[in-house]
């Protein structure tokens, strides 16, 4: 009887620890790995980054130049189930595809008018100072975007090798899963 009680106590402790780790990973903090070279030279392939999930939990709008993780499936309506499935701990037990989680930099916020002109980015008519980009951008022509309400525009720092808002469009704020801490 004593052994059974001890096993039950161990099981309870492990279950509580598991729930706490999942809670922290979904709502507060998680680590993620950079996949690819779209954020070179700032972040490198296979580098581990730590992300605050508080902006997603409390619906904070990110700031310009913040590095954020996003759900690139912009047509998908995000639910709590998506948040659970994107949790690193649960992904150990439930095989999922995390290729939709991208790391990018915030270039435009709701209401901003963005313009790609002569291989340079402008926000609301002002040339962006972007010392973090990998190399001069080589764009195919000039383009303009106006960021709609409740969306952001993101780009990789390696502009010539990045899938970002130029291709998939604006990112709904509920698809901003977190902000890079370090």
């Amino acid at each position: 009887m004593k052994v059974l009680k001890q096993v039950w106590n161990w099981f309870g402790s492990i279950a509580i620890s598991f729930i706490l780790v999942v809670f922290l990973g979904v709502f507060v903090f998680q680590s993620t790995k950079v996949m690819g070279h779209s954020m070179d030279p700032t972040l490198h392939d296979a580098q581990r980054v730590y992300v605050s999930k508080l902006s997603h939990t409390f619906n904070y709008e990110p700031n310009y130049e913040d590095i954020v993780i996003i759900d690139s499936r912009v047509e998908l309506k995000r639910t709590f189930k998506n948040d659970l499935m994107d949790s690193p701990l649960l992904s150990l037990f439930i095989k999922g595809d995390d290729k939709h989680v991208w790391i990018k930099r915030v270039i435009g916020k709701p209401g901003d008018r963005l313009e790609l002109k002569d291989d340079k980015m402008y926000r609301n008519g002002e040339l962006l100072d972007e010392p973090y980009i990998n190399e001069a951008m080589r764009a195919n022509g000039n383009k303009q975007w106006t960021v709609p309400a409740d969306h952001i525009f993101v780009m990789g720092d390696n502009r010539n090798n990045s899938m970002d808002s130029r291709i998939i469009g604006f990112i709904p704020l509920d698809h901003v899963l977190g902000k890079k801490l370090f």
Side-chain angles (χ1 to χ4, degrees):
M1 197 62 155
K2 214 175 193 183
V3 172
L4 188 61
K5 186 175 181 179
Q6 186 137 15
V7 168
W8 182 252
N9 285 339
W10 273 98
F11 178 74
S13 297
I14 291 170
I16 289 170
S17 299
F18 181 80
I19 290 168
L20 181 62
V21 169
V22 168
F23 174 83
L24 290 173
V26 170
F27 297 109
V28 180
F29 178 80
Q30 84 176 53
S31 76
T32 191
K33 190 164 46 167
V34 176
M35 291 187 294
H37 296 279
S38 72
M39 286 300 290
D40 286 345
T42 308
L43 301 173
H44 306 287
D45 186 37
Q47 181 178 352
R48 182 127 329 256
V49 295
Y50 297 92
V51 177
S52 168
K53 304 282 297 254
L54 294 176
S55 59
H56 180 66
T57 301
F58 295 110
N59 296 320
Y60 297 152
E61 184 178 287
N63 295 316
Y64 295 121
E65 299 184 9
D66 278 352
I67 295 175
V68 294
I69 60 169
I70 61 165
D71 182 342
S72 65
R73 303 169 297 177
V74 295
E75 71 290 341
L76 175 78
K77 174 93 172 102
R78 282 211 46 106
T79 64
F80 180 66
K81 180 180 176 188
N82 297 120
D83 291 340
L84 285 175
M85 297 303 285
D86 289 340
S87 169
L89 182 63
L90 286 181
S91 66
L92 294 174
F93 301 105
I94 304 167
K95 190 66 181 154
D97 172 23
D98 61 354
K99 289 183 178 13
H100 63 275
V101 177
W102 294 357
I103 300 178
K104 302 293 173 189
R105 188 178 297 273
V106 176
I107 302 300
K109 295 172 27 172
D112 284 339
R113 187 178 48 80
L114 301 171
E115 184 176 10
L116 177 56
K117 183 170 80 176
D118 301 325
D119 297 338
K120 295 189 178 6
M121 281 299 294
Y122 294 82
R123 181 174 47 234
N124 302 321
E126 304 242 347
L127 176 64
L128 295 182
D129 177 27
E130 300 181 293
Y132 42 78
I133 64 173
N134 193 42
E135 61 188 359
M137 196 171 10
R138 295 181 309 270
N140 296 334
N142 299 336
K143 296 182 175 122
Q144 290 186 357
W145 303 270
T146 299
V147 183
D150 300 321
H151 289 75
I152 60 170
F153 190 93
V154 297
M155 296 175 80
D157 290 356
N158 188 358
R159 301 285 164 81
N160 297 318
N161 186 26
S162 178
M163 292 279 293
D164 50 40
S165 287
R166 294 172 292 174
I167 295 162
I168 65 170
F170 305 107
I171 309 302
L173 286 176
D174 67 346
H175 282 55
V176 178
L177 306 178
K179 176 179 157 181
K180 178 186 163 281
L181 291 173
F182 51 89

